[in-house]
Amino acid sequence: MAIGVVVVIGVVVGAFVLLNRGSSYDAVDGKYGAAPLATCDDVAARAGNLPPRRSDTPLEGSKGWLCTFTDPAGAATVHLDVEVTNTQRQRGRFDTQTASAGYVVDPATHLGERAAWGPVASGRSCDLMVLDGNATFKAGIEDWNQTTDDAHTCKDRVKAIAQVLYDVMKPR
């Protein structure tokens, strides 16, 4: 009897897994799912004022990449991060970042569905996260040549880079 129950449970679980392949939590769905993503070089070509690219790393387990651009002296670095999975995961991630990681939603930043500034903005470092359906875009700058009290200039620079990133990534 116990063996029969184990066999039935095994068959049910196996059938569930087989029938639900591709519907995992990390499956890509939404407007950024079909087309290939633009590359770091695509973004750099449109931005025109980024330092030289230092790294271009594809994300493991989801569609996306992380790029780092650093000037030769190493004083200024721009980070770009793109992750595309499913709408539920991206919204949950954005909500978690804004609820517990110190990101502050900025209704005046009109990119995607919502945008939020990172927890510690200064003249030397700031970052912006943009949620758009099933994608999250992040742009950030660290510039040790800037003063610490000029957060507004840092945010203007990051917002301009995030706008280019968002425009390049949008499906056509």
Side-chain angles (χ1 to χ4, degrees):
M1 175 77 171
I3 292 175
V5 170
V6 170
V7 169
V8 169
I9 290 173
V11 169
V12 170
V13 169
F16 178 80
V17 168
L18 197 62
L19 293 173
N20 288 299
R21 283 185 305 185
S23 66
S24 74
Y25 186 66
D26 291 333
V28 174
D29 73 353
K31 73 181 188 178
Y32 293 94
L37 294 176
T39 66
C40 298
D41 291 335
D42 296 331
V43 177
R46 285 276 301 273
N49 62 350
L50 297 179
R53 184 175 48 131
R54 186 180 76 199
S55 67
D56 178 353
T57 308
L59 295 182
E60 296 291 326
S62 63
K63 185 176 177 181
W65 44 256
L66 172 63
C67 295
T68 303
F69 300 85
T70 303
D71 71 3
T77 301
V78 175
H79 302 278
L80 303 176
D81 181 356
V82 175
E83 182 182 23
V84 177
T85 55
N86 68 45
T87 303
Q88 177 185 357
R89 178 171 181 188
Q90 294 305 341
R91 287 190 177 138
R93 178 177 178 223
F94 188 91
D95 291 344
T96 299
Q97 294 288 319
T98 57
S100 64
Y103 278 78
V104 178
V105 174
D106 182 359
T109 300
H110 302 289
L111 291 172
E113 294 173 29
R114 293 184 282 168
W117 289 101
V120 183
S122 72
R124 291 185 173 164
S125 177
C126 60
D127 65 290
L128 180 65
M129 177 174 54
V130 176
L131 170 67
D132 192 39
N134 65 319
T136 301
F137 309 107
K138 282 187 180 179
I141 292 178
E142 295 171 2
D143 189 345
W144 301 109
N145 290 325
Q146 300 298 316
T147 62
T148 59
D149 59 349
D150 192 10
H152 184 71
T153 299
C154 187
K155 285 184 172 185
D156 285 347
R157 289 173 64 197
V158 166
K159 188 174 178 180
I161 294 168
Q163 180 71 57
V164 170
L165 175 62
Y166 179 69
D167 289 345
V168 169
M169 299 307 292
K170 282 193 301 191
R172 306 284 177 230

